Amino acid sequence: MTDPIQKLREYGYELPAPKAPVASYVPVTRSGNLLYVSGQISTGENGVVGGRLGDTMNVQQGGNAAELAILNVLSHIVYSAGIPLQDIKKILKLTVLVCSDSEFTEQHLVANGASNLLVGILGDKGKHARAAFGVTSLPFGAAVEIDAVVEV
């Protein structure tokens, strides 16, 4: 398998430094061979990528925000949990929260931004179960928040 960091670069991304928690929680907990990664919002080099799907953002923009959120999940796996990406056995489950207006019904397509990136860099180990749903707001006005359960 190609090195996941190299695959990430092929998508135009570098693994970001993890963001410190801004509330009373830890970014990752481990139980046996399972990691539980706390919700990570859509932030990039220029800060929070915010907006509301169906109002100020379209599906493609939302998918890009989901990519940034999953990069932050991967960052915590590597830097907070100390697990290299190549040591991930399986991404088991994602929960994708999409800030959207009441008429927007394509949260699943927004979540594909994260899912497709994971499969692109991890191959079959990146295939996962998933829930995606709309919410009226997210911390700091973020467009997307994702948490994960990962087998290592």
Side-chain angles (χ1 to χ4, degrees), residues 52-55 100-105 107 135-136:
R52 184 178 307 280
L53 276 291
D55 180 19
S100 38
D101 72 20
S102 62
E103 301 299 314
F104 186 78
T105 60
Q107 289 84 1
V135 297
T136 58

Side-chain angles (χ1 to χ4, degrees), residues 46-74:
N46 298 320
V48 175
V49 174
R52 184 178 307 280
L53 276 291
D55 180 19
T56 62
M57 296 181 84
N58 62 36
V59 170
Q60 181 176 348
Q61 292 167 317
N64 293 339
E67 287 182 355
L68 294 175
I70 204 64
L71 284 174
N72 291 320
V73 167
L74 294 174

Side-chain angles (χ1 to χ4, degrees), residues 33-97:
N33 63 342
L34 297 180
L35 296 179
Y36 297 86
V37 184
S38 296
Q40 300 299 310
I41 62 174
S42 49
T43 58
E45 292 177 358
N46 298 320
V48 175
V49 174
R52 184 178 307 280
L53 276 291
D55 180 19
T56 62
M57 296 181 84
N58 62 36
V59 170
Q60 181 176 348
Q61 292 167 317
N64 293 339
E67 287 182 355
L68 294 175
I70 204 64
L71 284 174
N72 291 320
V73 167
L74 294 174
S75 173
H76 278 293
I77 292 169
V78 171
Y79 296 113
S80 299
I83 306 294
L85 293 182
Q86 62 267 19
D87 290 351
I88 291 172
K89 291 193 184 339
K90 185 84 174 150
I91 303 293
L92 297 174
K93 174 86 181 342
L94 298 182
T95 303
V96 182
L97 308 176

Side-chain angles (χ1 to χ4, degrees), residues 95-132:
T95 303
V96 182
L97 308 176
V98 180
C99 182
S100 38
D101 72 20
S102 62
E103 301 299 314
F104 186 78
T105 60
E106 296 182 318
Q107 289 84 1
H108 61 292
L109 298 177
V110 171
N112 282 346
S115 295
N116 292 340
L117 185 60
L118 283 173
V119 172
I121 64 172
L122 297 173
D124 285 344
K125 297 190 304 184
K127 293 180 180 178
H128 52 270
R130 181 182 83 187

